[in-house]
Structure formats: C-alpha cells, structure tokens
C-alpha cells in the first residue's frame, strides 16, 4: 500500500518536474545553451503568483493566466536583450551570462521580497482526497492534471503548426531550417519564451504546494538538470519520462531515508545512468551547431 | 535571371571566393564544377547569404539581393538543396516536405506543391509517414529535391546532387532535372563530378581555389583541356 501511495505522489510531483524540464530541454535543443536562469524563473513565477494572491486575492489557478504570459514575455525580453548577445560570442559566454543573470535575479528577489518563506493558503492548499489508505494532495493532483494538459498543448503545437515544426526543425538541423526560410532569431526568441512560460505554469501551480523564497530556484534547477540529462539532452519525451522517474525516486527515498538525503539518491541514480547509458534514456548524439 | 558580380566570400580572415562573375539565364541548367575544397559549397552559401561573409553583388530577376537576409531570399524563390541533403531526420517525409512550404508564398500554394511533387516523385507519397532518417541515400535525395520544389523556387540551387548516388539513381536524377528545366525551372548546381553535371548542363563554369578559371557550353567544357588540367593535372 505504501508503495502505491509513494508511486502516486511521486508521479504527481514528477509531472510538474517534467513540465519544468520540458522548458529546459526545449531551450537546449534549439539553442544548445544550458539555461541556468531556469530555476530562478520558477521562483519569480511563484512570487508573482503569491503576490497576485496576497495583494489582489487572485487564486493561483486563475493567476496562472496572468503569470504565464508575464513569464513568456520576460523570457522573450531576456533572450532578446541578454542571451542572444552571449550566444553570439561563445558557448562559455552563454554559460557565464546565464549564471550571472541567475545571481542577479536571486539578489533582486532577496532585496525586493526578503528571505522569508512565503506561501499561499487558499482553500485547496491543505485539502486532500482519500480512498481507503490512499491520500492524494489536491494541489498536487491539480498540478499534475494541468501539467498533463499543457504538455499535450505543447506537443500539439510542436507537431501541428508551422511555427512548432520550425522549432523542431531548427533543433534537428539549424542550417537546413534556415534554408527553408525559417528566421532563426524569431524561432530562438519564441523557444525561449515558451520554455520560460512553461516554468510560469509550473510556478503558478507550485505556489500552493511549496513556500517560495529567493533561492528556491537552485534546487529545482538541479532537479531539472538531472531530469534532462537522464532523459537525453534535447529530448522532450525523455524529459517527461525523466521527470516522472525522478518524482518517484525522490518521493520514495524521502520516505525511506529522509528528506535531507533524497537528493543524494537521485544524484546517485543520475551518475549510474550516465555511466551505463551516457546519452540518457532517449539520448542521441547531439551535434554541435555553428551559428 | 541570377547573376553574381565581383563576388568575394570570406570566413573570418580566410577569403575562399575571389572575384566571382557568373550568370544563369532563365530556364537553363548551369553547373559549376571543381575539386574538393574548390569553394563550391561556399559559392552556394554566398548565394543564400548564410554562414559566410560576402562582398559584391547578387542579382535575382533584376533585383539586387546582396543584402537580403536568407529567409527573404528563400521567399523570393531562391531555394537550395544543401550538400548531404540535410533532411530533418526525425521528421517524417511528409513533415520534411511541409518544411519546404514554410515561406508565405509556398504556404499559399501548398496543395498544388504537394500534388506537383507527388506526381513527379510518386515514391515519396508511399514513404510519407516514414522518418526521413530511415530512407536510403537515393530516396533522401528525392525528399530533399521534393522539399525544395514545394518551396516554389524560381531558381533551384543544388550542392552536389550526384554525391553518393548509385549509377541508376544518377540517371534518374539527371532525367528529373531535365524534366524540371522543361517545365521552366532554372537550375544552378555545383558538382565535383564534372561528367554527370556538365552532361546535362547548358553552360558550365570551372572553379579552382575559389576562382572561376574557365566557362563554356556544358559538353564542350567537359571535353576541354582546361577541365582535364584541373582534374588530372595534365
Ligand atoms: N565554415 C567555414 N569556416 C572556415 N573555413 C571554411 C568553412 N567552410 C569551408 N571552409 C574552407 O573554405 C574552402 C572551400 O570550402 P567549400 O566547402 O566551399 O569547398 P567545396 O568545393 O564545397 O568542397 P567539397 O567538394 O569537399 O564539398 C576550404 O578550404 C574550406 O576549408
Ligand atoms: Mg562542398
């Protein structure tokens, strides 16, 4: 019974991990950059959601419709004004610049909102469903369902629209995509915006699950790194599977050996998989692309 | 239809195209032949304005396009099939062809484009759902050609269309290109294999170390001493 409980809880949180990781892997797939700001944007999204709730009593599930476009816009601006110039320089520059941005954002959050842990206490926050011995937390269940729907929309977009196909094409072969008339900067901006908007969805959903604080991003960045590398860099399917897997592993190990050790377990798993299957579960060799 | 005037192409410090003059008249097949590293692919990139710094003028149908970004050139009907096909490997054949119809102009005529390509290359219709990466080299070349044709080209640029093809496929591609010319398409190809390309060309140029050293009618050029000198060193 306890295993079923852990499995379900793990899958629920894993769905949200998958959503965050989808954004990270999409950005990597198209631009070949590791976005170190990813976790911090989750933190920003959670603060937005928190303040909408606290100041204007907008429920976080309604607030989602404000947070997501706001984050998408932030993503586009960040790409246009910062990341783009770094990519043009070199690979190292893009790493340094996103790490730098991450530090700036964390400190800005600290300055603006202090180091306090803040959480939303809406009517959902503490509710749970119960079937016999099984307890399922409502906010997590909602988060999972929304994550599922959003993932479905993302896949439909990527597979059924010209823009979506252009994103996939550019991540497979940028040169060939440009020859088809794809405007690369437009596709990069869009991909970055989508990647950050996905984090926005996760942030709005998680704001009634976890308390937010300025350095919350770091731990989620770590989780999504593990997920993305596990699933295979740039692989969307891999990110989904990896997210669910890490969710279950984390939940199970937290139960058996304690919360403080749970990261150790999935990092160990991460190392083992990298030794056994270095390209990740769905990985292929990622070709370098030049600009 | 398409011409280059005093073209120079550079990768950083390295100049790989020198003083290129070249012109392609409407409805003809023109080949530029040269050995490895002569600058053939660079010439294609020069025309598309991608990956290479350029100097000089390019004219397309009386308009100077030298400063246009790549996507605008594609939209104007300059469509290139790159060396090594460069299909989107995890996309199906159908999706690859759809990427060909990415520009607004091609999108509007997408239905006709597909009908046209499927009528010329019925095999592609059979393979529609298959991932492009799983096809044989010859089939991939057909998809690459189909993808370019769906883009509604005015001028088709081909980078080594015969590379790695079995003799039977070479004949098929040759016939296919001639058929396209009959339909009014203008074709400029660069090829290492002078025999295959010049045989079906109206006009040819010989490229050596980034310079055009000779030109002439396809078949004459093929048997010329200039060409023999380049390829055999005699
Ligand atoms: N991206 C690049 N950066 C720097 N130099 C390059 C680049 N691409 C090509 N070159 C150089 O430019 C020259 C011409 O190369 P190019 O690829 O145009 O030759 P090619 O005639 O197409 O050869 P091949 O028959 O092998 O395809 C070569 O000396 C090559 O090393
Ligand atoms: Mg070449």
């Amino acid at each position: 019974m306890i295993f079923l409980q852990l499995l379900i809880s793990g899958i629920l949180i894993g769905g949200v991990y998958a959503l965050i990781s989808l954004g990270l892997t999409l950005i990597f797939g198209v631009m070949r950059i590791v976005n170190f700001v990813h976790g911090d944007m989750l933190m920003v999204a959670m603060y937005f959601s928190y303040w909408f709730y606290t100041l204007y009593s907008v429920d976080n599930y309604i607030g989602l419709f404000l947070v997501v476009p706001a984050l998408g816009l932030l993503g586009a601006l960040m790409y246009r004004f910062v990341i783009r110039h770094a990519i043009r320089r070199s690979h190292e520059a893009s790493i340094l610049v996103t790490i730098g941005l991450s530090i700036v954002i964390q400190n800005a959050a600290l300055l603006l909102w202090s180091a306090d842990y803040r959480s939303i206490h809406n009517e959902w926050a503490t509710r749970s469903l119960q079937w016999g011995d099984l307890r399922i937390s409502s906010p997590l269940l909602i988060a999972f369902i929304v994550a599922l729907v959003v993932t479905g929309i993302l896949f439909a977009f990527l597979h059924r629209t010209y823009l979506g196909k252009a994103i996939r094409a550019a991540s497979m072969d940028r040169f060939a995509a440009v020859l088809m008339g794809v405007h690369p900067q437009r596709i990069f901006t869009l991909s970055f915006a989508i990647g950050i908007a996905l984090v926005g969805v996760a942030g709005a959903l998680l704001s009634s699950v976890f308390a937010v604080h300025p350095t919350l991003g770091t731990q989620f960045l770590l989780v999504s790194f593990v997920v993305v590398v596990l699933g295979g860099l740039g692989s969307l399917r891999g990110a989904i599977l990896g997210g669910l897997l890490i969710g279950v592993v984390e939940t199970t190990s937290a139960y058996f050996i304690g919360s403080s050790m749970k990261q150790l377990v999935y990092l160990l798993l991460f190392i083992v998989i990298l030794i056994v299957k270095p390209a990740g579960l769905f990985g292929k060799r990622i070709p370098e692309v030049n600009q | 239809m398409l011409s280059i005037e005093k073209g120079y192409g550079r990768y950083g410090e390295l100049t790989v195209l020198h003083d290129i003059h070249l012109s392609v008249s409407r409805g003809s097949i023109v080949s530029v032949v040269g050995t490895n590293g002569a600058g053939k692919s660079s010439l294609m990139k020069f025309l598309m304005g991608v990956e290479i710094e350029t100097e000089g003028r390019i004219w397309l149908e009386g308009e100077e396009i030298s400063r246009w970004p790549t996507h605008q050139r594609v939209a104007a009907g300059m469509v290139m099939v790159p060396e090594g096909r460069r299909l989107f490997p995890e996309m199906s054949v159908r999706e690859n062809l759809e990427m060909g119809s990415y520009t607004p102009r091609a999108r509007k005529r997408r239905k006709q484009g597909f009908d046209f390509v499927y009528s010329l290359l019925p095999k592609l219709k059979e393979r529609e759902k298959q991932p492009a990466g799983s096809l044989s080299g010859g089939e991939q070349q057909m998809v690459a050609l189909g993808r370019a044709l769906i883009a509604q080209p005015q001028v088709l640029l081909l980078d080594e269309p015969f590379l790695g093809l079995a003799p039977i496929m070479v004949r098929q591609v040759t016939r296919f290109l001639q058929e396209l010319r009959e339909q009014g398409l203008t074709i400029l190809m660069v090829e290492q294999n002078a025999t295959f390309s010049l045989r079906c060309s109206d006009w040819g140029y010989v490229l050596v170390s980034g310079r055009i050293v000779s030109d002439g009618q396809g078949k004459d050029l093929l048997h010329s001493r200039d060409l023999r000198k380049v390829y055999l060193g005699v």
Side-chain angles (χ1 to χ4, degrees):
Chain A
M1 202 62 205
I2 185 63
F3 282 106
L4 187 61
Q5 172 74 58
L6 290 170
L7 185 69
I8 291 174
S9 305
I11 286 176
L12 293 186
I13 187 68
V16 182
Y17 288 167
L19 195 59
I20 300 170
S21 310
L22 275 174
L24 192 66
T25 213
L26 182 75
I27 289 172
F28 179 84
V30 176
M31 280 159 270
R32 300 290 189 275
I33 62 161
V34 177
N35 177 28
F36 284 91
V37 199
H38 212 67
D40 302 301
M41 294 316 283
L42 180 78
M43 174 269 290
V44 169
M46 285 172 73
Y47 270 113
F48 279 9
S49 186
Y50 171 82
W51 287 116
F52 278 135
Y53 179 78
T54 310
L55 299 178
Y56 308 108
S57 36
V58 180
D59 189 278
N60 64 316
Y61 299 114
I62 311 277
L64 189 134
F65 294 96
L66 301 168
V67 172
V68 174
L71 267 280
L73 185 66
L74 275 180
L77 294 174
M78 210 153 71
Y79 177 75
R80 274 317 236 213
F81 292 106
V82 186
I83 312 269
R84 178 162 69 127
H85 305 290
I87 295 181
R88 201 169 284 163
R89 291 265 152 87
S90 68
H91 206 67
E92 292 75 27
S94 73
I95 293 175
L96 289 176
V97 162
T98 55
I99 290 178
L101 258 182
S102 161
I103 296 171
V104 169
I105 295 171
Q106 287 187 15
N107 281 290
L110 189 64
L111 212 68
L112 284 171
W113 303 313
S114 83
D116 295 347
Y117 279 57
R118 300 173 193 264
S119 52
I120 289 177
H121 294 287
N122 64 2
E123 52 174 319
W124 296 99
T126 50
R127 274 210 207 154
S128 60
L129 305 174
Q130 186 136 15
W131 283 297
D133 288 345
L134 273 186
R135 284 170 66 91
I136 296 173
S137 128
S138 304
L140 264 188
L141 183 62
I142 298 173
F144 180 78
I145 292 168
V146 175
L148 211 62
V149 170
V150 170
T151 304
I153 294 172
L154 176 71
F155 272 74
F157 169 73
L158 289 174
H159 286 266
R160 297 193 193 281
T161 68
Y162 267 107
L163 269 180
K165 283 177 192 170
I167 289 179
R168 284 167 56 222
S171 70
M172 286 175 219
D173 190 331
R174 186 185 304 172
F175 179 66
V178 168
L179 291 181
M180 301 296 108
V182 171
H183 191 319
Q185 289 306 327
R186 224 171 272 165
I187 290 302
F188 289 3
T189 309
L190 181 68
S191 308
F192 211 86
I194 292 174
I196 301 298
L198 290 173
V199 166
V201 177
L205 294 170
L206 288 180
S207 61
S208 59
V209 179
F210 300 116
V212 61
H213 54 97
T215 53
L216 165 127
T218 313
Q219 109 203 29
F220 279 93
L221 180 69
L222 186 65
V223 173
S224 45
F225 272 171
V226 175
V227 168
V228 163
V229 175
L230 196 62
L233 280 166
S235 162
L236 297 174
R237 276 165 232 280
I240 295 173
L241 215 77
L244 297 176
L245 192 66
I246 290 300
V248 172
V249 168
E250 193 194 65
T251 312
T252 314
S253 53
Y255 179 80
F256 286 109
I257 52 177
S259 257
S260 52
M261 299 290 278
K262 65 185 185 185
Q263 288 189 349
L264 185 69
V265 172
Y266 68 67
L267 283 175
L268 277 176
L269 177 78
F270 176 60
I271 291 168
V272 169
I273 292 199
L274 282 188
I275 291 169
V276 179
K277 204 167 184 310
L281 298 173
F282 285 82
K284 23 181 193 347
R285 214 174 51 79
I286 302 272
E288 278 285 329
V289 258
N290 35 21
Q291 313 287 318
Chain B
M1 166 105 217
L2 176 69
S3 60
I4 304 177
E5 219 179 278
K6 233 173 164 4
Y8 287 83
R10 224 179 283 116
Y11 299 107
E13 300 284 278
L14 181 71
T15 305
V16 295
L17 294 174
H18 307 267
D19 196 23
I20 302 287
H21 290 262
L22 177 155
S23 80
V24 182
S25 54
R26 179 190 296 280
S28 63
I29 299 183
V30 172
S31 289
V32 177
V33 298
T35 51
N36 281 122
K40 301 183 297 296
S41 300
S42 303
L43 181 64
M44 295 276 108
K45 291 178 192 164
F46 176 94
L47 282 166
M48 295 307 297
V50 63
E51 278 188 6
I52 189 167
E53 295 157 62
T54 66
E55 222 176 88
R57 291 163 184 245
I58 305 170
W59 301 85
L60 177 68
E61 305 229 65
E63 249 185 304
E64 202 200 323
I65 61 165
S66 330
R67 296 274 154 265
W68 290 12
T70 309
H71 63 98
Q72 202 179 343
R73 299 183 196 200
V74 179
M78 203 155 79
V79 182
M80 171 180 161
V81 179
E83 188 174 351
R85 350 284 187 219
R86 305 291 284 261
L87 299 180
F88 304 111
E90 289 146 60
M91 284 184 165
S92 65
V93 168
R94 168 109 200 159
E95 281 183 308
N96 268 276
L97 296 176
E98 279 168 355
M99 280 311 294
S101 66
Y102 189 78
T103 63
R105 196 165 59 96
R107 231 179 271 193
K108 249 177 262 151
R109 310 193 45 199
R110 174 184 149 129
K111 174 92 181 43
Q112 292 99 303
F114 268 95
D115 290 346
F116 175 63
V117 167
Y118 281 158
S119 72
L120 284 176
L121 304 165
K123 247 222 169 117
L124 297 190
K125 175 112 185 114
E126 290 164 34
R127 297 292 162 100
E128 211 177 46
K129 299 228 165 58
Q130 223 165 303
S134 71
L135 301 182
S136 74
E139 291 168 328
Q140 290 199 12
Q141 185 62 285
M142 291 305 172
V143 179
L145 283 167
R147 183 175 69 172
L149 291 175
I150 279 185
Q152 309 283 338
Q154 305 284 326
V155 189
L156 191 60
L157 307 180
L158 307 172
D159 192 344
E160 309 232 25
F162 298 113
L163 187 70
L165 295 188
I168 183 165
M169 284 305 295
V170 169
R171 271 196 298 278
Q172 217 169 317
V173 169
T174 304
R175 222 175 304 126
F176 185 66
L177 296 181
Q178 280 165 338
E179 216 171 301
L180 290 174
R181 173 182 47 189
E182 239 98 278
Q183 307 214 13
L185 193 63
T186 309
I187 298 171
L188 172 63
M189 71 174 114
V190 294
E191 244 303 334
Q192 166 135 301
N193 191 314
T195 315
F196 292 161
S197 58
L198 289 176
R199 237 177 3 207
C200 66
S201 296
D202 301 299
W203 198 261
Y205 293 89
V206 181
L207 188 69
V208 178
S209 312
R211 286 171 214 275
I212 285 176
V213 296
S214 162
D215 67 334
Q217 274 189 0
K219 288 185 184 108
D220 299 344
L221 193 62
L222 184 56
H223 303 293
S224 71
R225 291 194 44 189
D226 283 342
L227 192 74
R228 228 169 306 156
K229 208 157 62 190
V230 170
Y231 278 88
L232 303 173
V234 294

